[in-house]
Amino acid sequence: MSSMISERSPLNFSDPIPDTVDVVVIGAGVIGISIAWFLAMRGVTVAVCEKGRVAGEQSSRNWGWIRKHGRDRAEWPSVMGSSEHWESISRELEEDIGLARHGVLYLAEDEQELARREQWLAIAQEHDLDTCMVGAKELADIITDDASQWIGASYTPSDARAEPFLAVPAIARALHKKGVAITENCAVRTLDIAAGSVAGVVTEKGVIKCSSVVCAGGAWGSVFCRNIGHDFPQLTVRATVARTTEAPEIFKGNAASSGLAFRRRHDGGYTLAAGGNLEHFVGRDSLRYLPPFVPNILRSRKDFSLRFGDGLLDRLRAVPPWSGDDITPFEQKRVLNPDPSPAALHEIRRQLRRQLPSLADVELEEAWAGMIDTTPDIVPVMDSVDGLPGFFIATGFSGHGFGIGPGAGRVMADLVLGNPLGHDIKRFRLARFHDGSRLELGPTI
Ligand SMILES: Cc1cc2nc3c(=O)[nH]c(=O)nc-3n(C[C@H](O)[C@H](O)[C@H](O)COP(=O)(O)OP(=O)(O)OC[C@H]3O[C@@H](n4cnc5c(N)ncnc54)[C@H](O)[C@@H]3O)c2cc1C
């Protein structure tokens, strides 16, 4: 049975929009729902507006890895917090979201790759993380398939996973029970601004008055912000994923080699992706934001490709600015639901045969793709917006927002409320894209 969330999925959250709340959260992905969770815990009234479906975009389509391994230094405090928040939130849920700590393995086929994996060890040790290097002999005990092509791996046993199709909708249901209004098919068109400050949002269902708004719109973040004069660079890449039918257990956790990522699922199958299959569909934003992305593109050129077909002219067309009375791009595309790439699926099968003989012929029961949103330096924007009191942005999680989601939610909730954050989030400021700062690329692993 399909687990996909798309615009064909039934509406599960249909709260009438409230007239007034303290905070409106735009977007019901893992970031928006986590922000709402921590705001609600702090006694604040919240409404979450979702243009399509809760977790319809990246937050249900991802691999489900909750890793501390390989994180940017500035993300550490949020990541460590996130790991604990995932556990505490899941204890409060009435549903099993498949949360389990079975570790993350980064496999190496040659000395060069092993040295690259090893580089991260010093940072892990700085933070008392349980990452260690394992050799071929130990690996043969961890992966119960023919693991002879790997000479070693870095291994973080405390890293975890949860099932993306289950997790965010389950948290949203619990949040709804706590009295938070969550409304699907409810695009926020623009902000209601009075005397230079946020006074509310204009949604397709009417106005909600509030003193703070957080834009947690994932891939749509810069589209929304540009229309109100707070532009920042953000692009998307398509990533293709498949899940198998139930199959022999070869490793309980999450693992990546240079050609394949595999994760044992809660239902006994695997979630799979082929390495280096990121595709950017060239459009107007590619031209608009190219310069700051150049270092990122050069570094990841082996992993990604440009696509020019499939509606290039539409993507090049200028979208005129809109007001609260207009039908917006958010209503025109309720759920970003790209087709999976046939080439990526073919590569998954090829890599299974090459690397995991026990899974070589396992059936790929379902495939999907997601549009990953990324910033030029691969770390998010988590900030208030200068010149617009009451407006906050939490987006651009650049392919690693699921694991950090609850941690980022806690930070943003405290930022909105003016509470101490407990650590520095300067690296995630919006102004870095405009104030002449040298952008420092976050890690790829
Ligand atoms: C294939 C794939 C694999 C990944 N693997 C991992 C992984 O293993 N581990 C990990 O940590 N991360 C992973 N990621 C990244 C992770 O999924 C994302 O970083 C994270 O889900 C981003 O969450 P979000 O809430 O910011 O965005 P989203 O989940 O995209 O949610 C944003 C929501 O905002 C809504 N929205 C936008 N604009 C408006 C508007 N104007 N009004 C109302 N609603 C609006 C959208 O409809 C959407 O539902 C992966 C991503 C993909 C696609």
Side-chain angles (χ1 to χ4, degrees), residues 382-403:
M382 294 201 281
D383 204 356
S384 54
V385 176
D386 286 346
L388 186 46
F391 187 48
F392 298 81
I393 301 176
T395 185
F397 283 81
S398 305
H400 54 271
F402 183 68

Side-chain angles (χ1 to χ4, degrees), residues 7 54 64 78 105 113 147 152 157 216 226 245 249 282 291 296 335 367 381 390 410 420 434 437:
E7 55 193 57
V54 168
S78 307
L105 269 177
E113 201 174 19
R226 188 164 65 234
T245 49
E249 182 181 297
V282 171
N296 184 344
V335 179
V381 176
R410 198 285 296 165
H434 308 296
S437 300

Side-chain angles (χ1 to χ4, degrees), residues 43 56 141 183 244 334 350 399:
D141 294 332
T183 315
T244 72
R334 293 276 174 202
R350 197 179 76 82

Side-chain angles (χ1 to χ4, degrees), residues 27 29-31 50-51 58-59 62-63 65 188 372 399-403:
V30 67
I31 302 299
E50 167 53 54
K51 69 178 170 62
Q58 298 171 84
S59 294
N62 64 71
W63 300 352
W65 291 34
V188 175
I372 296 180
H400 54 271
F402 183 68

